[in-house]
Structure formats: structure tokens, C-alpha cells
Amino acid sequence: MDLTLRFFANFREAVGQKTLERDYPDGTTVGDVLTDLTEEYGLDLFEDGDLRSQLSVMKNGTDVVHIDGVDTQLADGDTLSVFPPVAGGSDAAAAEE
């Protein structure tokens, strides 16, 4: 099955491009793909066998934590997007109040 893998911020830098097209066997899970990416590009995606809590991994626009996490099944034509942790804004505006 063909998958589109999209990367953002420092993950895009590590992979060297915004989008990859990859072929995976039927039955592949999100965890399988992320394990491959960890091994190939040295991405830090896991903590104690599960996704790092600060990451956002989306399957076709839905966060996989709301599906089956790393066990989420993928299908031909799916898009998997990997977002790094996002920090909040500045407290400067709150301090001025």
C-alpha cells in the first residue's frame, strides 16, 4: 500500500524533505512506520514503547491517540503527518496586565 508521510519543523530538517511517498505491506500500523523512521532518520518518537506524549501524529487529519495509538492500522492512500512538540507563547503579555 502507498502512504504519504509528512514532516514538520525539526522532523522535516532531519528527514531532509517535507513529504515522502512510501510503499508498505498491508497490515502496517502507525507504530511500524514510526519505528522505520526512527531507525532510518534517528527521530526521537518513542518513550517506553509508546509515542512521546508531546508529539502529534495524525492519520488523515485525526490524531492517532484518538484512534488506536501506535496500533492504528493504515490503509492504501493514507497520509501520516508527524509534528514535533509545540511550546506555548510568551508570558510577556500576561505580565503586562
Side-chain angles (χ1 to χ4, degrees):
M1 71 180 157
D2 292 323
L3 299 176
T4 300
L5 310 176
R6 295 177 31 175
F7 305 95
F8 297 87
N10 59 328
F11 292 147
R12 181 183 298 169
E13 292 173 19
V15 172
Q17 53 193 328
K18 179 180 182 175
T19 304
L20 293 174
E21 302 290 330
R22 291 276 173 98
D23 184 46
Y24 282 91
D26 291 342
T28 296
T29 66
V30 167
D32 296 331
V33 173
L34 297 180
T35 297
D36 286 350
L37 295 171
T38 297
E39 292 171 359
E40 185 173 350
Y41 297 105
L43 302 180
D44 187 17
L45 304 175
F46 294 98
E47 183 173 61
D48 297 327
D50 206 354
L51 285 177
R52 296 184 71 74
S53 61
Q54 307 89 347
L55 294 181
S56 182
V57 178
M58 312 286 275
K59 174 190 169 186
N60 302 327
T62 301
D63 196 320
V64 299
V65 299
H66 300 298
I67 308 173
D68 289 322
V70 294
D71 296 324
T72 301
Q73 293 287 312
L74 297 169
D76 188 52
D78 281 348
T79 298
L80 197 64
S81 302
V82 183
F83 296 86
V86 178
S90 168
D91 285 338
E96 292 175 6
E97 293 179 11

